[in-house]
Amino acid sequence: MQRYAPYLAIISGQSAAMSELVRAWVAIPSGSHDIAGLAAMAAELKTAFASLGGEGEELALPPQTVIDSQGRRSSLPLGRALRFRKRPQALLQVFLGIHYDVVYGDGPNVPPKIPSMTHNDGELHASGAADAKGGLVILLKALEAFEASPFCGGVGWEVLLNPDEELGSPGSHPLLREAAGRNHLGLLFEPSLPDGNLVGARKGSGNFAAVMRGRAAHAGRDPHLGRNAIQALAEFITALEAFGKTRSGLNVNVARVEGGGALNRVPDLAIARFNLRAGDAEDMAAAAAFLRGQAEAFSAREGYALEVHGDFASPPKPLAGGTAALLEKVADCGKLLGMDLSWRPSGGVSDGNKLAAAGLPNVDTLGARGDNIHGPLEWLALDSLPERARLTALLLMRLGSGELAWPPGKNGGEQPSGSGQPRQGG
């Protein structure tokens, strides 16, 4: 531990600077659909991460496919991803990532907003502070300390900063899959649990839109000719909620309903947007079968048609194999720093779900301590910035020095191809 102390001290001496940096980055509005704000944030990040000396690139993402208010497929532009790589020929390759888009409770048709910030007893209160502007600062400072150490030569790294994670990473998913193919382990900087502990297993998540079409008619003169899409959609929602209660691992959240118009007209269109969380592959398969069955049943009714769009973009992330072994190594580093770390399952998802599905063991809650994310009461513990940066820097230095071995071994689960050689991109 003593040989790492001088480089960990670099981080300890930057507590105030880290706090100022997270404030500066929180002040830049970067909602998932705010293309101008995302570009401004990307410019700041390009400058900051260029100081690490790796090769950087800015990557255009394909647009996000959405279902519009008329039930039609449409597309929305996305920001640009940033990727930095250093020592790609090193025997051990580490992926590090976090998003720079933020949830402000708005949508694609709402004007961007400037985040408000307040401070209270060492906490920064602001949307995006913990999720994940704090994680960006932690990642940057951990790599700065690691690069200043003599242990960096044996580890190559790849950083991916994406602008669409809060949307489910629709554009950056291929980049994550490629990264999983050429790295041996992954570190993501989503906020930790409020007590500083880590997330182990995660549920899978999918966003869906149910488009119910009926038949318009005059509500007074000939209502019998109409087919009320809102009424039929209400039946679907009731059936969906009831189905969710039949499986303990499945969560249903109907988040938005649209449709209707003039009160003297039978509505011919209604749309429900909902999220499903699945504990395992069986839950996902059962949900998919249920949705197919509902679409067929409603469409068989005279005058009605139901289409369900969407899928489980983030498969469940089980606590198994290499991910479990990596959590143990992170906890061991925490112990050396006086941190008693454990982990618990979560219903939330992250890009770690996608990395795990692509075969890359990863720990995805190395970011700041905080809570109430995705809302106006979100907060970040400022003293967690240097604390968590030291944790990651120590892990990287112990890997680089050979004190910690990776991969974990034959029974460790996911194995990197090449047995110690860099994995090839997919």
Side-chain angles (χ1 to χ4, degrees):
M1 181 64 184
Q2 198 60 34
R3 56 180 171 165
Y4 309 122
Y7 312 101
L8 297 174
I10 293 174
I11 297 172
S12 300
Q14 295 190 72
S15 295
M18 294 177 77
S19 294
E20 287 304 311
L21 184 57
V22 77
R23 290 186 183 97
W25 284 355
V26 164
I28 301 172
S30 55
S32 302
H33 290 112
D34 180 1
I35 301 303
L38 290 167
M41 189 68 215
E44 292 288 323
L45 295 171
K46 282 170 64 177
T47 300
F49 280 82
S51 66
L52 298 169
E55 293 187 9
E57 54 186 328
E58 195 171 348
L59 304 166
L61 300 182
Q64 178 193 14
T65 299
V66 297
I67 302 300
D68 67 17
S69 60
Q70 298 304 308
R72 300 171 302 206
R73 288 184 179 273
S74 183
S75 62
L76 293 172
L78 296 173
R80 300 171 78 87
L82 303 177
R83 184 164 61 195
F84 307 88
R85 296 187 71 191
K86 193 167 186 179
R87 293 183 293 276
Q89 300 308 315
L91 291 181
L92 180 63
Q93 296 292 314
V94 177
F95 174 83
L96 307 100
I98 191 58
H99 59 95
Y100 65 93
D101 61 326
V102 171
V103 172
Y104 294 119
D106 50 17
N109 300 316
V110 178
K113 68 174 70 173
I114 302 297
S116 62
M117 280 186 282
T118 59
H119 305 82
N120 179 28
D121 295 331
E123 294 177 357
L124 176 64
H125 293 249
S127 293
D131 187 20
K133 300 292 176 75
L136 288 162
V137 173
I138 289 166
L139 167 54
L140 174 65
K141 295 303 177 180
L143 277 180
E144 284 181 355
F146 177 61
E147 288 298 312
S149 78
F151 312 109
C152 64
V155 176
W157 49 259
E158 173 177 354
V159 169
L160 180 68
L161 309 178
N162 56 338
D164 61 338
E165 191 273 345
E166 297 293 8
L167 303 173
S169 301
S172 57
H173 192 173
L175 301 179
L176 292 161
R177 194 163 51 238
E178 291 172 15
R182 58 177 167 249
N183 288 280
H184 297 106
L185 61 95
L187 308 175
L188 293 175
F189 293 81
E190 295 288 349
S192 72
L193 297 173
D195 58 7
N197 284 315
L198 307 167
V199 168
R202 288 186 181 273
K203 285 191 172 185
S205 175
N207 293 325
F208 299 84
V211 180
M212 185 73 72
R213 298 188 186 277
R215 183 187 300 148
H218 192 287
R221 178 178 294 179
D222 46 14
H224 60 285
L225 298 179
R227 299 293 182 268
N228 193 309
I230 291 178
Q231 185 176 2
L233 186 68
E235 289 183 51
F236 166 77
I237 292 171
T238 301
L240 177 62
E241 293 281 359
F243 169 74
K245 291 179 172 61
T246 68
R247 302 192 68 88
S248 60
L250 191 67
N251 299 103
V252 175
N253 182 50
V254 180
R256 191 169 64 181
V257 176
E258 306 165 59
L263 300 187
N264 60 356
R265 181 176 183 268
V266 176
D268 61 351
L269 174 66
I271 303 171
R273 303 178 192 273
F274 58 96
N275 175 262
L276 300 181
R277 302 284 165 131
D280 55 30
E282 289 185 6
D283 287 332
M284 287 197 302
F290 170 81
L291 294 175
R292 283 195 303 270
Q294 289 287 296
E296 292 170 2
F298 277 97
S299 297
R301 297 186 185 184
E302 191 275 325
Y304 289 97
L306 172 62
E307 295 179 352
V308 181
H309 304 268
D311 59 17
F312 282 95
S314 295
K317 179 187 175 184
L319 179 58
T323 291
L326 185 56
L327 280 163
E328 295 283 357
K329 293 187 185 298
V330 172
D332 185 61
C333 290
K335 196 171 298 183
L336 294 175
L337 295 169
M339 303 165 65
D340 184 16
L341 295 177
S342 61
W343 44 91
R344 315 194 276 277
S346 172
V349 300
S350 79
D351 282 335
N353 292 62
K354 296 177 175 63
L355 294 173
L360 187 68
N362 68 87
V363 174
D364 57 14
T365 39
L366 291 167
R369 280 186 286 112
D371 201 6
N372 297 330
I373 60 176
H374 296 182
L377 300 179
E378 181 173 341
W379 60 269
L380 162 90
L382 291 170
D383 64 354
S384 70
L385 298 174
E387 171 190 276
R388 309 296 281 196
R390 286 192 296 267
L391 177 64
T392 295
L394 179 58
L395 175 67
L396 292 172
M397 287 190 287
R398 293 181 75 196
L399 288 167
S401 71
E403 183 179 340
L404 292 180
W406 194 267
K410 191 183 297 185
N411 297 319
E414 306 96 323
Q415 289 291 313
S417 62
S419 187
Q421 299 299 317
R423 302 179 78 183
Q424 300 301 308

